Amino acid sequence: MKINLKVNGILEEVEVDASAVLLDVLRDKLHLTGTKEGCREGECGACTVLIDGQPVDSCLYSAAAAANAEIETVEGISANGLSAIQKAMVEEGGIQCGFCTPGIVMTLTALLRQNADPTPQDVAVALNGNICRCTGYSRIVSATLKAAKNAMAQKAGDAHA
Amino acid sequence: MSPTRPLILLPPSGKRQVTVMDFIYAQKLEEALDALRSQAGRAKVLAGGTDLMIQIARGEKQPQALIFIGQLKDDLATISLSQDGYLNIGALVTHRQICADRHIQANYPALATASASVGGWQTQSVGTLAGNICNASPAADTIPPLLVHEAVVTVQSAARGLRDVLLEHFITGRRQIAIENDEMVVGITLAPPPADTADAYLKVGRRKAMEVAIAGLAMRLTMAGPETVGELRVATCATGPVSRRASEVEALFSGQKLTNELVTQGASLLGRMIQPIDDTRASAEYRKLVIPKLFRGAVLECLAKLGIAISGLEKS
């Protein structure tokens, strides 16, 4: 079947099987390989993308069901250079092997849009579907708080300018 | 000459060639019901798909068609309160919506707690309460809280219209529900809880987040006096093929003075009643030991929520 997927603001027509999951279409048809395949059963969060602003495991979301929705991948949020959360992840050392990073970045992008000033607990709860076996999470949490702080400082600066 | 590097053998890809014949976008509820009727058992209703897509990928389910109801949000993604206080949760309401709903947090907090523990944020974004029920996993978190609130499931078909079923009768076995091929769940209704009532959902997993329950327990406690129980309801999950209320345990408490001895007696009876299995998550023996602890914990949590302190009734 042919479907239209709106990925990172661009409408793409793709031929998919009715049982295809979004992850495979993103990686194999649209060559957006920033989204990673980890467990392929909704446990690890490496394949997290945003659908209408909400984090979703693309490994178990129907591609056909995602037609007509706004899909965002890690390529989209870094189209104009690293985003605030990505910069903070680099600066704080929130990345080791890096495999979980795109998924974590997407979840944290959704969190920071919904909650501009999260507590460490908010970050921990938000990340409950993203597994990182390297970092122990603490630097990911500090990166998130830093990105939030930077964004709030910038907003305050813009207001005064 | 450098030694030949060993070949790195990649495991076979998890991708399976599965072909679903049709993907039907229902634009109206009637279209979904008509499609269900004409497919006569060959179709599955798809909402968030967090259970169904993986079952299809594993070959556990092989529908000929998927009927996607995600575009029926106006009809089915709403939580509404009737004038007489009954709460209706539409079939597309996600766990995320349940957790965030003020009325649910205030009146059925056990359900909010359970929905907050279904998978991670990614699952809660799209996974629905109705889907959790229809999947009828023995470990489904939301089923025990819905059972203690005597939830009613509303199903609809093109041929016969609406039908209400008590959740207790809707779930008939492990992953089995009482639904005809041409029917789909359209909503779940909860009655307003009586005065002096509190509820709790407690769960044991190996980690705090993203864990399928090793064992879970929901309780609803209604007090009739300062220390007298009006009604106690309790249901467990991951303790047998089907989540059920423990009516023998409930009967012990009805109209009785709540004492440490009675709680110990109830906890112990519940531990003996459940019929868990050994599986990858825990042994049956462990489950039989942990359920009485959850029972006591739930009594204490309900009393704390009601602001009642009963001397001699403490954590064991």
Side-chain angles (χ1 to χ4, degrees), chain A residues 131-155:
Chain A
I131 292 179
C132 172
R133 298 292 83 161
C134 304
T135 64
Y137 299 97
S138 65
R139 289 177 180 217
I140 299 175
V141 175
S142 55
T144 313
L145 302 180
K146 184 173 184 176
K149 209 174 135 195
N150 289 346
M152 285 187 292
Q154 197 181 348
K155 211 173 169 187

PDB file of all heavy atoms in Angstrom, chain A residues 131-155:
ATOM      1  N   ILE A 131      16.510   2.872  27.827  1.00  0.00           N
ATOM      2  CA  ILE A 131      17.542   2.170  28.583  1.00  0.00           C
ATOM      3  C   ILE A 131      18.920   2.581  28.081  1.00  0.00           C
ATOM      4  O   ILE A 131      19.184   2.568  26.878  1.00  0.00           O
ATOM      5  CB  ILE A 131      17.332   0.646  28.491  1.00  0.00           C
ATOM      6  CG1 ILE A 131      16.061   0.265  29.249  1.00  0.00           C
ATOM      7  CG2 ILE A 131      18.534  -0.102  29.044  1.00  0.00           C
ATOM      8  CD1 ILE A 131      15.739  -1.203  29.217  1.00  0.00           C
ATOM      9  N   CYS A 132      19.789   2.977  29.019  1.00  0.00           N
ATOM     10  CA  CYS A 132      21.194   3.269  28.719  1.00  0.00           C
ATOM     11  C   CYS A 132      22.021   2.366  29.618  1.00  0.00           C
ATOM     12  O   CYS A 132      21.862   2.406  30.831  1.00  0.00           O
ATOM     13  CB  CYS A 132      21.520   4.728  29.019  1.00  0.00           C
ATOM     14  SG  CYS A 132      23.289   5.061  28.879  1.00  0.00           S
ATOM     15  N   ARG A 133      22.860   1.537  29.021  1.00  0.00           N
ATOM     16  CA  ARG A 133      23.655   0.628  29.841  1.00  0.00           C
ATOM     17  C   ARG A 133      25.054   1.156  30.123  1.00  0.00           C
ATOM     18  O   ARG A 133      25.853   0.496  30.746  1.00  0.00           O
ATOM     19  CB  ARG A 133      23.745  -0.773  29.181  1.00  0.00           C
ATOM     20  CG  ARG A 133      22.400  -1.456  29.019  1.00  0.00           C
ATOM     21  CD  ARG A 133      21.755  -1.857  30.334  1.00  0.00           C
ATOM     22  NE  ARG A 133      21.036  -0.748  30.963  1.00  0.00           N
ATOM     23  CZ  ARG A 133      20.107  -0.870  31.896  1.00  0.00           C
ATOM     24  NH1 ARG A 133      19.758  -2.052  32.307  1.00  0.00           N
ATOM     25  NH2 ARG A 133      19.542   0.177  32.440  1.00  0.00           N
ATOM     26  N   CYS A 134      25.405   2.341  29.592  1.00  0.00           N
ATOM     27  CA  CYS A 134      26.749   2.883  29.819  1.00  0.00           C
ATOM     28  C   CYS A 134      26.792   3.930  30.920  1.00  0.00           C
ATOM     29  O   CYS A 134      27.553   3.828  31.857  1.00  0.00           O
ATOM     30  CB  CYS A 134      27.303   3.535  28.552  1.00  0.00           C
ATOM     31  SG  CYS A 134      27.379   2.504  27.087  1.00  0.00           S
ATOM     32  N   THR A 135      25.975   4.961  30.781  1.00  0.00           N
ATOM     33  CA  THR A 135      26.245   6.182  31.553  1.00  0.00           C
ATOM     34  C   THR A 135      25.782   6.151  32.994  1.00  0.00           C
ATOM     35  O   THR A 135      26.249   6.947  33.793  1.00  0.00           O
ATOM     36  CB  THR A 135      25.529   7.390  30.916  1.00  0.00           C
ATOM     37  OG1 THR A 135      24.119   7.173  30.999  1.00  0.00           O
ATOM     38  CG2 THR A 135      25.935   7.592  29.468  1.00  0.00           C
ATOM     39  N   GLY A 136      24.834   5.293  33.324  1.00  0.00           N
ATOM     40  CA  GLY A 136      24.256   5.363  34.663  1.00  0.00           C
ATOM     41  C   GLY A 136      23.301   6.535  34.814  1.00  0.00           C
ATOM     42  O   GLY A 136      22.860   6.840  35.910  1.00  0.00           O
ATOM     43  N   TYR A 137      22.993   7.190  33.724  1.00  0.00           N
ATOM     44  CA  TYR A 137      21.946   8.228  33.618  1.00  0.00           C
ATOM     45  C   TYR A 137      22.275   9.577  34.265  1.00  0.00           C
ATOM     46  O   TYR A 137      21.688  10.581  33.886  1.00  0.00           O
ATOM     47  CB  TYR A 137      20.593   7.752  34.191  1.00  0.00           C
ATOM     48  CG  TYR A 137      20.016   6.549  33.502  1.00  0.00           C
ATOM     49  CD1 TYR A 137      20.199   5.285  34.023  1.00  0.00           C
ATOM     50  CD2 TYR A 137      19.296   6.683  32.309  1.00  0.00           C
ATOM     51  CE1 TYR A 137      19.677   4.170  33.383  1.00  0.00           C
ATOM     52  CE2 TYR A 137      18.771   5.579  31.680  1.00  0.00           C
ATOM     53  CZ  TYR A 137      18.965   4.322  32.222  1.00  0.00           C
ATOM     54  OH  TYR A 137      18.445   3.222  31.604  1.00  0.00           O
ATOM     55  N   SER A 138      23.169   9.623  35.269  1.00  0.00           N
ATOM     56  CA  SER A 138      23.275  10.875  36.040  1.00  0.00           C
ATOM     57  C   SER A 138      23.718  12.035  35.152  1.00  0.00           C
ATOM     58  O   SER A 138      23.246  13.155  35.310  1.00  0.00           O
ATOM     59  CB  SER A 138      24.181  10.696  37.259  1.00  0.00           C
ATOM     60  OG  SER A 138      25.487  10.423  36.824  1.00  0.00           O
ATOM     61  N   ARG A 139      24.615  11.764  34.185  1.00  0.00           N
ATOM     62  CA  ARG A 139      25.061  12.866  33.319  1.00  0.00           C
ATOM     63  C   ARG A 139      23.995  13.227  32.287  1.00  0.00           C
ATOM     64  O   ARG A 139      23.971  14.353  31.792  1.00  0.00           O
ATOM     65  CB  ARG A 139      26.375  12.493  32.632  1.00  0.00           C
ATOM     66  CG  ARG A 139      27.496  12.476  33.644  1.00  0.00           C
ATOM     67  CD  ARG A 139      28.801  12.047  33.065  1.00  0.00           C
ATOM     68  NE  ARG A 139      29.802  12.077  34.126  1.00  0.00           N
ATOM     69  CZ  ARG A 139      31.062  12.453  33.949  1.00  0.00           C
ATOM     70  NH1 ARG A 139      31.476  12.810  32.747  1.00  0.00           N
ATOM     71  NH2 ARG A 139      31.901  12.448  34.944  1.00  0.00           N
ATOM     72  N   ILE A 140      23.131  12.267  31.976  1.00  0.00           N
ATOM     73  CA  ILE A 140      22.010  12.580  31.080  1.00  0.00           C
ATOM     74  C   ILE A 140      21.038  13.510  31.807  1.00  0.00           C
ATOM     75  O   ILE A 140      20.535  14.481  31.242  1.00  0.00           O
ATOM     76  CB  ILE A 140      21.302  11.288  30.606  1.00  0.00           C
ATOM     77  CG1 ILE A 140      22.286  10.407  29.832  1.00  0.00           C
ATOM     78  CG2 ILE A 140      20.083  11.618  29.759  1.00  0.00           C
ATOM     79  CD1 ILE A 140      21.742   9.052  29.430  1.00  0.00           C
ATOM     80  N   VAL A 141      20.821  13.206  33.084  1.00  0.00           N
ATOM     81  CA  VAL A 141      19.933  14.063  33.875  1.00  0.00           C
ATOM     82  C   VAL A 141      20.540  15.459  33.996  1.00  0.00           C
ATOM     83  O   VAL A 141      19.859  16.469  33.764  1.00  0.00           O
ATOM     84  CB  VAL A 141      19.671  13.441  35.280  1.00  0.00           C
ATOM     85  CG1 VAL A 141      18.855  14.401  36.147  1.00  0.00           C
ATOM     86  CG2 VAL A 141      18.946  12.101  35.146  1.00  0.00           C
ATOM     87  N   SER A 142      21.845  15.547  34.298  1.00  0.00           N
ATOM     88  CA  SER A 142      22.445  16.885  34.453  1.00  0.00           C
ATOM     89  C   SER A 142      22.443  17.627  33.121  1.00  0.00           C
ATOM     90  O   SER A 142      22.268  18.850  33.088  1.00  0.00           O
ATOM     91  CB  SER A 142      23.833  16.822  35.086  1.00  0.00           C
ATOM     92  OG  SER A 142      24.672  15.968  34.361  1.00  0.00           O
ATOM     93  N   ALA A 143      22.603  16.913  32.007  1.00  0.00           N
ATOM     94  CA  ALA A 143      22.540  17.559  30.684  1.00  0.00           C
ATOM     95  C   ALA A 143      21.153  18.155  30.450  1.00  0.00           C
ATOM     96  O   ALA A 143      21.017  19.261  29.926  1.00  0.00           O
ATOM     97  CB  ALA A 143      22.873  16.542  29.591  1.00  0.00           C
ATOM     98  N   THR A 144      20.129  17.427  30.861  1.00  0.00           N
ATOM     99  CA  THR A 144      18.758  17.913  30.661  1.00  0.00           C
ATOM    100  C   THR A 144      18.507  19.183  31.467  1.00  0.00           C
ATOM    101  O   THR A 144      17.930  20.151  30.971  1.00  0.00           O
ATOM    102  CB  THR A 144      17.738  16.828  31.080  1.00  0.00           C
ATOM    103  OG1 THR A 144      18.140  15.595  30.522  1.00  0.00           O
ATOM    104  CG2 THR A 144      16.339  17.178  30.605  1.00  0.00           C
ATOM    105  N   LEU A 145      18.969  19.153  32.730  1.00  0.00           N
ATOM    106  CA  LEU A 145      18.772  20.322  33.582  1.00  0.00           C
ATOM    107  C   LEU A 145      19.538  21.522  33.021  1.00  0.00           C
ATOM    108  O   LEU A 145      19.048  22.657  33.035  1.00  0.00           O
ATOM    109  CB  LEU A 145      19.222  20.014  35.018  1.00  0.00           C
ATOM    110  CG  LEU A 145      18.523  18.823  35.686  1.00  0.00           C
ATOM    111  CD1 LEU A 145      19.040  18.613  37.098  1.00  0.00           C
ATOM    112  CD2 LEU A 145      16.997  19.019  35.708  1.00  0.00           C
ATOM    113  N   LYS A 146      20.725  21.246  32.456  1.00  0.00           N
ATOM    114  CA  LYS A 146      21.541  22.320  31.879  1.00  0.00           C
ATOM    115  C   LYS A 146      20.846  22.900  30.644  1.00  0.00           C
ATOM    116  O   LYS A 146      20.764  24.131  30.490  1.00  0.00           O
ATOM    117  CB  LYS A 146      22.913  21.759  31.493  1.00  0.00           C
ATOM    118  CG  LYS A 146      23.875  22.812  30.980  1.00  0.00           C
ATOM    119  CD  LYS A 146      25.255  22.209  30.774  1.00  0.00           C
ATOM    120  CE  LYS A 146      26.234  23.298  30.351  1.00  0.00           C
ATOM    121  NZ  LYS A 146      27.597  22.765  30.229  1.00  0.00           N
ATOM    122  N   ALA A 147      20.327  22.024  29.795  1.00  0.00           N
ATOM    123  CA  ALA A 147      19.644  22.498  28.587  1.00  0.00           C
ATOM    124  C   ALA A 147      18.433  23.355  28.969  1.00  0.00           C
ATOM    125  O   ALA A 147      18.173  24.390  28.357  1.00  0.00           O
ATOM    126  CB  ALA A 147      19.210  21.313  27.729  1.00  0.00           C
ATOM    127  N   ALA A 148      17.714  22.927  30.008  1.00  0.00           N
ATOM    128  CA  ALA A 148      16.540  23.676  30.459  1.00  0.00           C
ATOM    129  C   ALA A 148      16.955  25.046  30.989  1.00  0.00           C
ATOM    130  O   ALA A 148      16.350  26.067  30.659  1.00  0.00           O
ATOM    131  CB  ALA A 148      15.804  22.893  31.543  1.00  0.00           C
ATOM    132  N   LYS A 149      18.034  25.057  31.792  1.00  0.00           N
ATOM    133  CA  LYS A 149      18.548  26.299  32.376  1.00  0.00           C
ATOM    134  C   LYS A 149      18.981  27.260  31.265  1.00  0.00           C
ATOM    135  O   LYS A 149      18.637  28.443  31.282  1.00  0.00           O
ATOM    136  CB  LYS A 149      19.726  25.947  33.288  1.00  0.00           C
ATOM    137  CG  LYS A 149      19.930  26.908  34.439  1.00  0.00           C
ATOM    138  CD  LYS A 149      21.024  26.396  35.371  1.00  0.00           C
ATOM    139  CE  LYS A 149      21.963  27.536  35.734  1.00  0.00           C
ATOM    140  NZ  LYS A 149      23.217  27.067  36.331  1.00  0.00           N
ATOM    141  N   ASN A 150      19.731  26.729  30.296  1.00  0.00           N
ATOM    142  CA  ASN A 150      20.201  27.556  29.182  1.00  0.00           C
ATOM    143  C   ASN A 150      19.029  28.160  28.413  1.00  0.00           C
ATOM    144  O   ASN A 150      19.052  29.330  28.056  1.00  0.00           O
ATOM    145  CB  ASN A 150      21.059  26.731  28.216  1.00  0.00           C
ATOM    146  CG  ASN A 150      22.402  26.390  28.823  1.00  0.00           C
ATOM    147  OD1 ASN A 150      22.800  26.977  29.838  1.00  0.00           O
ATOM    148  ND2 ASN A 150      23.108  25.439  28.233  1.00  0.00           N
ATOM    149  N   ALA A 151      18.016  27.320  28.174  1.00  0.00           N
ATOM    150  CA  ALA A 151      16.856  27.793  27.405  1.00  0.00           C
ATOM    151  C   ALA A 151      16.121  28.887  28.159  1.00  0.00           C
ATOM    152  O   ALA A 151      15.697  29.881  27.576  1.00  0.00           O
ATOM    153  CB  ALA A 151      15.929  26.629  27.100  1.00  0.00           C
ATOM    154  N   MET A 152      16.007  28.714  29.492  1.00  0.00           N
ATOM    155  CA  MET A 152      15.300  29.724  30.297  1.00  0.00           C
ATOM    156  C   MET A 152      16.108  31.020  30.351  1.00  0.00           C
ATOM    157  O   MET A 152      15.544  32.109  30.264  1.00  0.00           O
ATOM    158  CB  MET A 152      15.030  29.187  31.709  1.00  0.00           C
ATOM    159  CG  MET A 152      13.892  28.171  31.723  1.00  0.00           C
ATOM    160  SD  MET A 152      13.407  27.671  33.394  1.00  0.00           S
ATOM    161  CE  MET A 152      14.843  26.749  33.916  1.00  0.00           C
ATOM    162  N   ALA A 153      17.435  30.897  30.464  1.00  0.00           N
ATOM    163  CA  ALA A 153      18.305  32.083  30.498  1.00  0.00           C
ATOM    164  C   ALA A 153      18.209  32.842  29.180  1.00  0.00           C
ATOM    165  O   ALA A 153      18.116  34.072  29.150  1.00  0.00           O
ATOM    166  CB  ALA A 153      19.743  31.665  30.775  1.00  0.00           C
ATOM    167  N   GLN A 154      18.192  32.078  28.100  1.00  0.00           N
ATOM    168  CA  GLN A 154      18.116  32.705  26.773  1.00  0.00           C
ATOM    169  C   GLN A 154      16.789  33.445  26.596  1.00  0.00           C
ATOM    170  O   GLN A 154      16.745  34.555  26.070  1.00  0.00           O
ATOM    171  CB  GLN A 154      18.285  31.647  25.691  1.00  0.00           C
ATOM    172  CG  GLN A 154      18.635  32.264  24.340  1.00  0.00           C
ATOM    173  CD  GLN A 154      18.790  31.209  23.264  1.00  0.00           C
ATOM    174  OE1 GLN A 154      18.863  30.022  23.547  1.00  0.00           O
ATOM    175  NE2 GLN A 154      18.835  31.647  22.018  1.00  0.00           N
ATOM    176  N   LYS A 155      15.719  32.780  27.100  1.00  0.00           N
ATOM    177  CA  LYS A 155      14.388  33.372  26.988  1.00  0.00           C
ATOM    178  C   LYS A 155      14.337  34.691  27.775  1.00  0.00           C
ATOM    179  O   LYS A 155      13.820  35.703  27.303  1.00  0.00           O
ATOM    180  CB  LYS A 155      13.347  32.395  27.531  1.00  0.00           C
ATOM    181  CG  LYS A 155      12.007  32.501  26.845  1.00  0.00           C
ATOM    182  CD  LYS A 155      11.099  31.376  27.326  1.00  0.00           C
ATOM    183  CE  LYS A 155       9.681  31.616  26.864  1.00  0.00           C
ATOM    184  NZ  LYS A 155       8.760  30.628  27.457  1.00  0.00           N
TER     185      LYS A 155
END
